[in-house]
């Protein structure tokens, strides 16, 4: 009997040890499972000396103590005297600098830090130091990461400074807690219980963000609600700001341009109207009374039904500058989005007092023959370069259309030298398998950041434009549309966490490689077992290309279902505007497929510098991954593989599905390497991913075959349903319809 109970206890303990619900993200701090490394770390850290007691330093100290306690499975004493193997944590202003560590603090700026091993008074000491408290906190997280990833800490000399100043998560969270394009439950902001109830999740959100260097959060959806700017909400926003402040995170809000009308009782929101300008000034003053370090506004204007200055015959610069003037006395910034393609907004002069003014694709019948949507943002914003206030940044999506699995970079990068541009990436996977596909987005982010724009000749990468180094801008930013919800594991798919992680790490240091980032994340999140890391990393690094292949290979884009954007629907031709229709983008006909954006077509390529457009202008030299973005290609066109275009298209779609099957097999081989809970979650999601990859492949090939009139090569399995069957599928359960 005794033995039976003992067995039960052992089982219970084992289960407890292995229970992993994903809540802890990459901050798991479990005991290091390699005894040699564990011993080395225990030897190297005998005591901690922590100087300072600001809220940020207390957060850093608690994190360090908690982290070391878990990782080393040992309580490291906090001591007053420095001994051999002490860990010293301090800011420049602390008296301990008398140690003469030779650290160049000037180079560290506001947020950078140094982690260094020094020999002082015959003692081996590790120091974590920075100019500021927040730099120390970042240093602490980095140090813990070194241990979590089993790095050698014998001779440390790490100095790191963020490339980009404003590293921001954009939440598309509505005040009713629905999340636009959110696939992980409802919003984590519980407006009903704020400001009195501080959910532990808010604190853990701040810890997670600070650990990867994110220093800003836009709490509300860009499809904005003016109510967020009322006192009722500002006190709630202030409560969140208080939680985030010690972690170096500023809060921002989206500003609905028509707020002076909707909540201010004015008759107009015209940015050149003195009363309107005054209203915004007073609103900004009020906000700063509640939140003294408020970051500023993010604005979506004259886009997809959102009001904006063009509704009053004014320009985007007029609108942005008015808000910038209101924020300037408080050092706030305006991030003004360049995601515009709304032809009607320029013509109308509506009163936006009611939400009915939003575009409703179901009611909209006018089929506006718009010019190429690709060109719109550039046409609108390029002429405004140099016309914005110093505290305005223009926020540009990575590509010209809308977060597709692969897009060429937006031609605005390289076209607005006088204006700081914020990169907007979408972390949430609206067009990348939504909540159920493994897609490591890091290679997508890197692909865009590392491409040359030729703004100032060779080497003018998008990254250098974003970080401000090319034009020496004094302000810079990178924003990621968040994939976080109130699901226990934050992102629903366990691998969704990797994209949040990668965004933060890249915003801090865009030179990090995808391999490095994936490996760090895997080690911290799952296991440091070499085999596990190798396999999981391979899955991650090939996942985005796999998705491109089974969804939109060879430059196809925007062929998803209307509204919910779930699944393929390349046949759609009846959406409210021409440029909401898949047929507008793929242009398949009996001659071929693809959007001619050369001089014989829309000539969008002219928006790039010649060195760039030359790469894509000629169908014979254009990188095939962008082919249908720029060319209408014949079905028999000879591809570099030797296959004709149709066969190549089939090859890509089938290899995309094969890749997912390979991912499944590989994942199955990892069963005994990690906890059952997360293993099973990923396995089930991979089964959905495989099913949906097959669906995408079958639909697209059956549909495009109606134009090519060519057979799917016999070596491939045949689609198991007809096109009609697929066309009749309905998805009343598809998540996150637009608000
Ligand atoms: C927030 C796409 C999405 C919309 C989103 C919009 C934007 O159109 O489908 O849901 O709205 O982009 O970025 O503003």
């Amino acid at each position: 009997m005794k033995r039976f109970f003992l067995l039960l206890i052992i089982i219970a303990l084992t289960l407890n040890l292995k229970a992993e619900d994903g809540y802890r993200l990459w901050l798991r701090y479990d005991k290091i499972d390699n005894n040699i490394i564990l011993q080395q770390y225990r030897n190297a850290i005998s005591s901690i000396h922590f100087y300072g007691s600001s809220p940020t330093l207390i957060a850093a100290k608690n994190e360090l103590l908690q982290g070391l306690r878990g990782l080393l499975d040992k309580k490291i004493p906090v001591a007053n005297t420095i001994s051999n193997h002490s860990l010293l944590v301090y800011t420049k202003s602390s008296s301990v600098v008398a140690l003469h560590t030779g650290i160049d603090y000037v180079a560290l700026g506001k947020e950078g830090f140094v982690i260094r091993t020094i020999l002082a008074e015959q003692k081996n000491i590790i120091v974590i130091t920075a100019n500021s408290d927040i730099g120390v906190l970042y240093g602490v997280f980095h140090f813990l990461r070194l241990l979590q990833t089993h790095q050698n800490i014998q001779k440390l000399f790490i100095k790191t400074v963020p490339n980009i100043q404003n590293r921001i998560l954009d939440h598309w969270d509505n005040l009713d807690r629905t999340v636009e394009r959110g696939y992980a439950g409802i919003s984590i902001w519980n407006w009903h219980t704020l400001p009195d109830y501080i959910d532990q999740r808010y604190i853990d959100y701040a810890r997670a963000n600070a650990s990867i260097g994110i220093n800003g959060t836009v709490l509300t959806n860009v499809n904005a609600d003016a109510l967020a700017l009322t006192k009722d909400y500002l006190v709630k926003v202030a409560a969140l700001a208080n939680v985030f402040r010690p972690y170096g995170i500023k809060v921002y809000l989206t500003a609905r341009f028509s707020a002076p009308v909707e909540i201010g009782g004015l008759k107009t929101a015209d940015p050149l109207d003195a009363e309107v300008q005054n209203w915004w000034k007073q609103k900004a003053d009020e906000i700063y009374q509640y939140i003294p370090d408020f970051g500023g506004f993010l604005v979506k204007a004259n886009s997809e039904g959102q009001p904006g200055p063009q509704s009053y015959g004014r320009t985007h610069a007029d609108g942005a500058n008015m808000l910038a003037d209101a924020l300037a006395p408080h050092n706030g910034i305006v991030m003004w989005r360049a995601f515009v393609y709304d032809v009607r907004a320029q013509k109308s002069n509506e009163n936006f007092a009611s939400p009915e003014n939003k575009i409703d694709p179901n009611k909209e019948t006018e089929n506006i023959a718009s010019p190429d949507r690709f060109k719109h943002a550039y046409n609108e914003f390029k002429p405004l370069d140099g016309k914005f206030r110093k505290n305005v940044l223009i926020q540009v999506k990575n590509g010209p259309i809308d977060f597709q699995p692969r897009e060429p970079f937006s031609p605005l990068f390289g076209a607005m030298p006088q204006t700081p541009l914020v990169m907007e990436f979408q972390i949430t996977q609206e067009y990348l398998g939504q909540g159920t596909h493994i897609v490591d987005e890091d290679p997508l982010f890197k692909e865009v950041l590392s491409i040359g724009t030729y703004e100032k000749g060779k080497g003018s990468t998008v990254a250098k434009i974003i970080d401000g180094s090319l034009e020496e801008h004094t302000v810079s930013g990178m924003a990621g549309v968040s994939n976080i919800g109130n699901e226990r594991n934050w992102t629903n798919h366990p691998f969704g966490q990797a994209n949040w992680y990668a965004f933060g790490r890249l915003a801090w240091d865009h030179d990090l490689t995808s391999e490095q980032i994936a490996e760090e994340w895997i080690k911290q999140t799952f296991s440091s077992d070499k085999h596990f890391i190798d396999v999981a990393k391979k899955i991650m690094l090939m996942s985005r290309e796999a998705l491109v292949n089974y969804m939109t290979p060879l430059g196809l884009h925007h062929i998803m279902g209307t509204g919910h954007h779930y699944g393929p629907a390349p046949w759609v031709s009846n959406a409210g505007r021409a440029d909401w229709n898949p047929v507008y983008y793929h242009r398949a006909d009996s001659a071929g497929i693809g959007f001619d954006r050369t001089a014989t077509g829309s000539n969008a390529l002219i928006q790039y510098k010649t060195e760039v457009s030359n790469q894509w202008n000629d169908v014979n030299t254009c990188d095939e991954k962008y082919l249908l973005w720029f060319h209408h290609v014949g079905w028999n066109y000879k591809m570099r593989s030797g296959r004709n275009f149709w066969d190549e298209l089939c090859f890509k779609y089938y290899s995309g599905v094969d890749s997912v099957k390979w991912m499944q097999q590989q994942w199955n081989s990892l069963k005994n390497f990690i906890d059952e809970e997360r293993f099973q979650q990923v396995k089930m999601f991979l089964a959905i991913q495989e099913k949906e990859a097959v669906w995408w492949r079958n639909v697209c090939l059956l549909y495009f075959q109606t134009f090519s009139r060519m057979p799917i090569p016999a070596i491939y399995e045949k689609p198991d349903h007809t096109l009609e069957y697929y066309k009749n599928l309905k998805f009343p359960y598809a998540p996150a319809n637009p608000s």
Side-chain angles (χ1 to χ4, degrees):
M1 197 63 174
K2 247 188 188 166
R3 289 236 308 268
F4 175 70
F5 276 122
L6 200 65
L7 194 68
L8 275 187
I9 291 169
I10 292 171
I11 292 172
L13 279 176
T14 327
L15 285 178
N16 190 33
L17 270 181
K18 294 207 165 159
E20 288 275 5
D21 59 13
Y23 180 82
R24 293 183 298 161
L25 297 161
W26 47 87
L27 300 175
R28 285 162 63 251
Y29 303 148
D30 287 342
K31 182 179 170 188
I32 286 164
D33 57 6
N34 177 319
N35 282 335
I36 299 174
I37 295 177
L38 176 65
Q39 204 44 54
Q40 279 169 4
Y41 289 170
R42 283 180 173 168
N43 293 343
I45 309 165
S46 62
S47 63
I48 298 175
H49 300 259
F50 213 101
Y51 298 84
S53 58
S54 69
T56 298
L57 290 175
I58 289 173
K61 186 173 175 180
N62 290 341
E63 196 72 36
L64 189 60
L65 292 176
Q66 184 197 336
L68 291 179
R69 175 89 205 233
L71 289 162
L72 307 189
D73 193 26
K74 182 180 168 195
K75 195 167 175 206
I76 307 293
V78 178
N80 293 326
T81 51
I82 299 172
S83 53
N84 203 16
H85 301 308
S86 287
L87 175 60
L88 255 64
V89 189
Y90 61 95
T91 57
K92 183 190 170 204
S93 59
S94 150
S95 55
V96 81
V97 287
L99 267 179
H100 296 303
T101 52
I103 285 162
D104 174 11
Y105 281 96
V106 177
L108 293 183
K110 223 170 61 189
E111 296 177 303
F113 58 85
V114 160
I115 305 177
R116 188 169 170 183
T117 314
I118 56 165
L119 192 65
E121 298 155 11
Q122 255 110 70
K123 294 174 189 118
N124 242 316
I125 296 167
I126 299 175
V127 300
I128 303 177
T129 186
N131 283 316
S132 62
D133 297 354
I134 189 64
V136 165
L137 179 68
Y138 290 145
V140 162
F141 275 118
H142 194 97
F143 183 70
L144 289 169
R145 177 159 52 237
L146 295 178
L147 307 190
Q148 286 175 285
T149 54
H150 298 194
Q151 306 299 309
N152 186 339
I153 60 166
Q154 296 302 312
K155 286 194 183 121
L156 291 169
F157 195 170
I158 294 165
K159 177 189 145 244
T160 164
V161 176
N163 292 136
I164 289 165
Q165 268 169 34
N166 297 294
R167 306 173 296 277
I168 299 181
L169 278 190
D170 287 2
H171 288 263
W172 285 358
D173 294 17
N174 299 311
L175 299 183
D176 64 3
R177 294 191 75 184
T178 54
V179 180
E180 179 146 355
R181 312 306 179 183
Y183 310 100
I186 57 172
S187 170
I188 59 174
W189 320 129
N190 189 337
W191 297 112
H192 182 56
T193 56
L194 280 164
D196 302 314
Y197 184 80
I198 300 298
D199 193 329
Q200 176 63 31
R201 200 180 265 266
Y202 303 149
I203 301 163
D204 292 328
Y205 168 85
R207 288 177 53 236
N209 279 324
S211 76
I212 49 175
I214 288 172
N215 65 0
T217 175
V218 182
L219 301 175
T220 47
N221 191 357
V222 285
N223 289 337
D225 188 332
L227 279 184
L229 302 176
T230 58
K231 183 180 166 225
D232 287 345
Y233 279 91
L234 292 180
V235 292
K236 295 167 188 286
V237 172
L240 289 174
N242 292 342
V243 174
F244 302 158
R245 191 168 296 113
Y247 293 90
I249 297 166
K250 282 187 181 180
V251 299
Y252 298 76
L253 289 171
T254 44
R256 184 155 161 93
F257 202 77
S258 47
V261 177
E262 291 165 1
I263 58 168
L266 301 191
K267 293 221 160 46
T268 176
D270 180 351
L272 298 195
D273 181 289
E275 261 193 298
V276 173
Q277 293 170 353
N278 193 39
W279 186 87
W280 280 109
K281 281 205 163 91
Q282 284 182 17
K283 184 47 74 183
D285 293 347
E286 183 191 354
I287 294 174
Y288 281 91
Q289 273 171 21
Y290 290 105
I291 311 146
D293 54 353
F294 180 67
F297 293 135
L298 170 64
V299 187
K300 171 174 177 178
N302 294 121
S303 167
E304 299 187 331
Q306 290 298 304
Q310 293 178 331
S311 321
Y312 303 94
R314 313 299 184 194
T315 68
H316 284 284
D318 294 329
N321 290 342
M322 171 191 63
L323 295 178
D325 288 343
L327 294 167
H330 310 281
N331 298 320
I333 59 169
V334 174
M335 290 165 290
W336 190 272
R337 295 177 89 225
F339 178 65
V340 296
Y341 62 99
D342 200 348
V343 186
R344 284 158 315 134
Q346 295 164 46
K347 297 186 191 145
S348 65
N349 189 7
E350 297 141 302
N351 173 349
F352 287 100
S354 81
E356 281 91 69
N357 283 311
K358 284 185 178 178
I359 290 175
D360 178 347
N362 300 319
K363 286 189 199 146
E364 184 74 46
T365 48
E366 187 190 2
N367 196 9
I368 294 170
S370 55
D372 186 357
R373 173 172 159 188
F374 186 117
K375 295 165 74 176
H376 205 104
Y378 178 102
N379 287 345
E380 195 93 67
F381 278 86
K382 165 116 183 105
L384 299 177
D385 190 28
K387 300 213 162 83
F388 294 100
R389 299 280 192 269
K390 289 236 158 338
N391 56 336
V392 175
L393 298 93
I394 299 302
Q395 182 158 315
V396 184
K397 288 189 181 185
N398 60 275
I401 301 293
D402 195 9
F403 301 133
Q404 295 298 294
R406 170 165 281 125
E407 296 202 24
F409 69 95
S410 162
L412 275 173
F413 297 116
M416 296 187 69
Q418 299 180 67
T419 313
L421 301 181
V422 177
M423 168 63 74
E424 181 175 308
F425 285 127
Q426 194 181 44
I427 307 174
T428 190
Q429 295 172 229
E430 176 178 359
Y431 303 102
L432 283 82
Q434 304 200 339
T436 54
H437 296 209
I438 294 185
V439 181
D440 178 25
E441 292 174 330
D442 186 75
L444 185 163
F445 301 159
K446 289 285 294 183
E447 180 174 294
V448 180
L449 290 169
S450 58
I451 201 157
T453 66
Y454 288 84
E455 177 177 315
K456 279 190 170 174
K458 245 186 152 174
S460 308
T461 58
V462 171
K464 284 191 177 159
I465 289 167
I466 296 310
D467 70 19
S469 60
L470 197 66
E471 300 292 346
E472 296 181 11
H473 290 305
T474 51
V475 57
S476 58
M478 186 152 134
V481 180
S482 156
N483 60 348
I484 301 167
N486 77 336
E487 284 284 349
R488 179 71 192 155
N489 73 356
W490 304 83
T491 54
N492 195 28
H493 197 308
F495 276 77
Q497 297 177 0
N499 294 329
W500 176 9
Y501 183 86
F503 170 78
R505 295 289 286 136
L506 272 185
W508 181 282
D509 179 358
H510 51 59
D511 287 331
L512 290 171
T513 65
S514 300
E515 286 80 3
Q516 268 171 289
I517 295 177
E519 185 162 331
E520 270 180 14
W521 178 78
I522 294 166
K523 283 181 176 169
Q524 295 171 89
T525 308
F526 284 112
S527 163
S528 54
D529 179 274
K530 189 169 170 333
H531 177 70
F532 182 88
I533 296 166
D534 287 349
V535 174
K537 200 162 69 175
K538 268 195 218 141
I539 292 177
M540 285 175 74
L541 293 180
M542 55 103 73
S543 59
R544 186 272 185 134
E545 208 55 45
L547 174 114
V548 170
N549 285 341
Y550 64 72
M551 281 191 180
T552 52
L554 300 169
L556 279 167
H557 50 284
H558 209 293
I559 55 172
M560 67 288 161
T562 307
H564 47 63
H565 295 172
Y566 170 64
W571 50 79
V572 171
S573 62
N574 62 352
R577 295 173 47 127
D579 55 10
W580 283 348
N581 287 300
V583 296
Y584 169 96
Y585 293 97
H586 63 67
R587 301 188 171 219
D589 55 22
S590 58
I593 180 170
F595 200 134
D596 180 3
R597 291 191 166 103
T598 68
T600 54
S602 78
N603 209 12
L605 273 164
I606 204 169
Q607 297 186 333
Y608 293 102
K609 295 272 181 277
T610 328
E611 291 89 335
V612 177
S613 56
N614 280 348
Q615 295 169 27
W616 295 332
N617 232 328
D618 182 346
V619 65
N620 294 312
T621 55
C622 179
D623 189 333
E624 288 181 350
K625 63 181 188 243
Y626 297 125
L627 198 58
L628 304 187
W629 272 99
F630 299 117
H631 299 278
H632 193 74
V633 175
W635 296 109
N636 271 311
Y637 176 77
K638 188 89 174 258
M639 300 293 283
R640 261 154 246 161
S641 64
R643 285 183 276 268
N644 65 39
F645 183 83
W646 169 252
D647 285 351
E648 184 77 4
L649 192 68
C650 294
F651 170 75
K652 288 284 181 190
Y653 272 113
Y654 276 88
S655 57
V657 172
D658 286 348
S659 302
V660 179
K661 291 187 170 147
W662 181 88
M663 283 156 67
Q664 282 181 293
Q665 281 163 8
Q666 294 297 307
W667 184 257
N668 289 343
S669 78
L670 298 178
K671 180 166 168 49
N672 297 322
F673 288 80
I674 58 161
D675 52 285
E676 187 64 8
E677 200 172 345
R678 290 183 298 168
F679 172 78
Q680 287 299 345
Q681 278 178 326
V682 174
K683 186 178 154 112
M684 289 187 283
F685 280 133
L686 274 167
I688 298 177
Q689 184 166 358
E690 194 245 349
K691 204 165 69 183
E692 295 186 350
V694 170
W695 172 35
W696 270 91
R697 178 196 74 193
N698 289 355
V699 163
C700 293
L701 289 178
L702 287 171
Y703 171 75
F704 291 129
Q705 191 178 36
T706 64
F707 299 97
S708 79
R709 307 258 165 226
M710 292 161 94
I712 295 173
I715 46 165
Y716 301 127
E717 66 180 2
K718 298 271 165 283
D720 49 3
H721 293 289
T722 62
L723 184 58
E724 271 325 291
Y725 165 87
Y726 287 119
K727 279 185 168 179
N728 286 324
L729 294 178
K730 299 270 178 295
F731 316 102
Y733 43 79
N737 277 304
S739 58

